Amino acid sequence: MENNKKGTGLKRYLSDFLMEEDGIGTVEVILILVVLIGIVIIFKDKITKLVNSIFKTINSNVKQI
């Protein structure tokens, strides 16, 4: 009989979940992405040199084995 009450079970859980205001919102996620993209653009050359250096080191170590 309790399952027939309005707002119980899965339907109520989904409704409560969707109405919950805790957690990271869309605006916060977009701001974080903008900052990360800006950092990548600013340090693009340094990041490229670092990654190339790491791959050269890995490649040379693999050839030695």
Side-chain angles (χ1 to χ4, degrees):
M1 285 282 189
E2 288 186 27
N3 288 338
N4 292 333
K5 290 183 181 179
K6 184 179 179 183
T8 60
L10 183 60
K11 186 175 180 180
R12 180 174 178 183
Y13 173 78
L14 289 174
S15 175
D16 290 344
F17 179 76
L18 292 174
M19 294 301 191
E20 186 176 327
E21 295 181 10
D22 295 339
I24 298 177
T26 305
V27 175
E28 288 87 355
V29 171
I30 291 172
L31 288 174
I32 291 169
L33 288 174
V34 167
V35 169
L36 289 175
I37 291 169
I39 290 172
V40 168
I41 290 171
I42 292 171
F43 296 106
K44 179 182 172 187
D45 293 333
K46 291 185 180 185
I47 293 171
T48 303
K49 288 179 185 178
L50 176 65
V51 170
N52 285 335
S53 173
I54 291 171
F55 281 128
K56 284 180 185 177
T57 304
I58 292 172
N59 197 17
S60 67
N61 287 340
V62 169
K63 287 181 181 179
Q64 290 177 359
I65 295 178

